[in-house]
């Protein structure tokens, strides 16, 4: 349930603090006047200056949110009918794999040409991927469709952050990011119910082919406002810099490396060591070149912000992806009820994001992020308790409500800090780095979770899942699910420590 939401290998040197904090905090770069970033007086996100833009871009996020909640509900049924339960994690991670490349491309595209073009192209690719998945006759074609969606999603999310950085003054940004989180509330409730009903009565394919119709509304609302307030390069008077081909090659390397690791994790044999080694060889230099110096070591400031985003999103999404499958196959819930077990999380995510946006909470941002990661770890660790028949299934809904509250505080806060540490002309590349950390962590943790799931017999779950499923039936593999959730809870706890390093402290 990531709210659909840096740094260039060269830009990182001057923007990203190293492990040793400087004597003074990095300067906050105001958005230049004339590029759509004027403060609009005392107006809020729905004031006259920002109203059309705010409604438009929140509508785009609403579409992404509805897709995520609806598709997540239909996914267990789609995987079963396509005989693809062993490839279940691939259906999620393929999205993030291709989005890694698209994020880097979108960052450069937006910095040089403005966010309008990558946003329009991204929404188009997003819709095309949904149609391809909906028409798939095999699981691999379905996964290809998800990969096309990922290209679109990567273009869109980075472009949206550039729009925020250019069009809104710093004082308004926490509020618009909170609005992004709030736009998940209705989809979180309506999405699973609508998707489950459509899946059970018409078939899962209609969930995929029906969503692209919603693309028209966000395009009509968002694009004219973005063209008016945030189009063109950050500095129209400056010569347009060429695309950084090195960064694009690194982006291809990071996507290819992540894909090879996914494949190796699914194969689980000695021959898989070769693609695994090649994947690592591609990933290591790409990560070093695309993320801020000191990210892996959780350096104070921007490096820790980027790392925390990946840890939070990766651990949570890897766990959440398996919740509907666990409830459908192990506790016999219908797809609708399994999806609704996560529905309340949309409201609590928005509440957490709203809390961090309040001005009086700014001095406590680090504590909010630490507390948020502790809640995430607790929620993930609690979810597999429903594998015990005596534990009521509503425990998952309660746990996920608290976990989403924590995620709302953490995800929005990382976005606020990222924009605060970025010069306007670098907002695209820095936002791309934040999203790369997010997407790469999703891929790697989904791949590792999927491998553990398959190794402990998770692939056999699909055979027992046809028809009504009752707890305790043959084919139950609780250990396979526990091997996904418990390690992810440990990763989230590491995130609580990283959150203590997001602020640069004076010596």
């Amino acid at each position: 349930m990531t709210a659909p939401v840096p740094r260039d290998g060269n830009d990182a040197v001057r923007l990203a603090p190293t492990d040793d904090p400087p004597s003074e905090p990095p300067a906050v770069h105001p958005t230049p006047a004339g590029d759509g970033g004027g403060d609009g007086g005392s107006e809020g996100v729905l004031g006259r200056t920002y109203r059309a833009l705010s409604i438009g871009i929140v509508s785009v996020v609403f579409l992404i949110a509805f897709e995520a909640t609806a598709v997540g509900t239909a996914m267990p049924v789609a995987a079963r009918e396509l005989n693809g339960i062993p490839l279940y994690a691939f259906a999620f991670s393929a999205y993030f794999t291709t989005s890694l490349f698209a994020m880097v491309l979108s960052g450069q595209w937006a910095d040089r040409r403005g966010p309008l073009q990558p946003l329009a192209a991204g929404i188009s690719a997003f819709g095309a991927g949904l149609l391809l998945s909906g028409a798939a006759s095999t699981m691999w074609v379905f996964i290809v469709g998800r990969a096309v969606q990922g290209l679109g999603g990567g273009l869109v999310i980075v472009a949206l952050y550039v729009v925020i950085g250019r069009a809104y003054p710093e004082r308004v940004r926490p509020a618009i990011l909170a609005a992004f989180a709030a736009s998940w509330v209705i989809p979180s409730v309506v999405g699973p119910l609508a998707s489950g009903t459509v899946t059970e009565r018409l078939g899962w394919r209609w969930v995929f082919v029906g969503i692209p119709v919603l693309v028209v509304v966000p395009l009509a609302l968002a694009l004219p406002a973005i063209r008016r307030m945030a189009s063109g390069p950050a500095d129209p008077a400056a010569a347009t810099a060429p695309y950084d081909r090195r960064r694009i090659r690194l982006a291809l390397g990071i996507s290819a490396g992540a894909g090879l690791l996914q494949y190796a994790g699914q194969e689980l044999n000695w021959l898989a060591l070769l693609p695994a080694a090649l994947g690592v060889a591609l990933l290591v230099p790409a990560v070093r070149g695309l993320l801020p110096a000191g990210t892996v070591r959780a350096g104070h400031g921007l490096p820790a912000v980027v790392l925390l985003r990946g840890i939070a999103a990766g651990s949570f999404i890897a766990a959440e992806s398996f919740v509907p499958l666990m409830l459908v196959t192990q506790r016999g819930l219908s797809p609708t009820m399994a999806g609704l077990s996560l529905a309340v999380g949309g409201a609590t995510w928005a509440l957490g994001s709203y809390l961090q946006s309040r001005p009086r909470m700014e001095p406590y941002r680090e504590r909010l992020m630490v507390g948020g990661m502790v809640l995430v770890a607790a929620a993930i660790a609690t979810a597999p308790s429903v594998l015990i028949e005596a534990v009521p299934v509503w425990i998952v809904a309660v746990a996920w409500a608290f976990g989403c509250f924590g995620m709302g505080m953490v995800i929005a806060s990382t976005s606020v800090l990222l924009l605060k540490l970025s010069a306007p002309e670098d907002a695209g590349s820095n936002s791309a780095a934040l999203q790369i950390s997010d997407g790469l962590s999703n891929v790697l943790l989904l791949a590792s979770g999927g491998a553990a799931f398959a190794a402990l017999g998770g692939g056999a779950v699909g055979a027992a899942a046809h028809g009504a499923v009752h707890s305790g039936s043959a084919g139950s593999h609780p250990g396979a699910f526990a091997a996904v959730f418990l390690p992810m809870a440990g990763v989230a706890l590491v995130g609580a420590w990283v959150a203590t390093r997001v602020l640069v402290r004076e010596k």
Side-chain angles (χ1 to χ4, degrees), residues 66-92:
F66 190 83
E67 180 273 341
T69 55
V71 167
T73 301
M75 195 74 78
V77 178
R80 266 193 340 235
E81 292 191 6
L82 295 174
N83 297 316
I85 290 291
L87 300 174
Y88 185 77
F90 244 138
F92 290 94

Side-chain angles (χ1 to χ4, degrees), residues 76-155:
V77 178
R80 266 193 340 235
E81 292 191 6
L82 295 174
N83 297 316
I85 290 291
L87 300 174
Y88 185 77
F90 244 138
F92 290 94
S93 56
Y95 178 101
F96 298 112
T97 300
T98 55
S99 69
L100 292 171
F101 169 73
M103 289 169 189
V104 175
L105 178 61
S106 183
Q108 294 202 36
W109 193 352
D111 283 343
R112 287 157 179 77
R113 302 290 182 182
L116 183 63
Q117 292 179 4
L119 184 62
I123 292 177
S124 300
F126 194 80
L130 282 167
L131 292 175
L132 182 58
S133 290
S137 58
T138 68
M139 190 63 176
W140 280 113
V141 174
F142 181 88
I143 290 170
V144 170
R146 293 286 291 165
V148 174
Q149 270 187 265
L151 286 172
L155 291 172

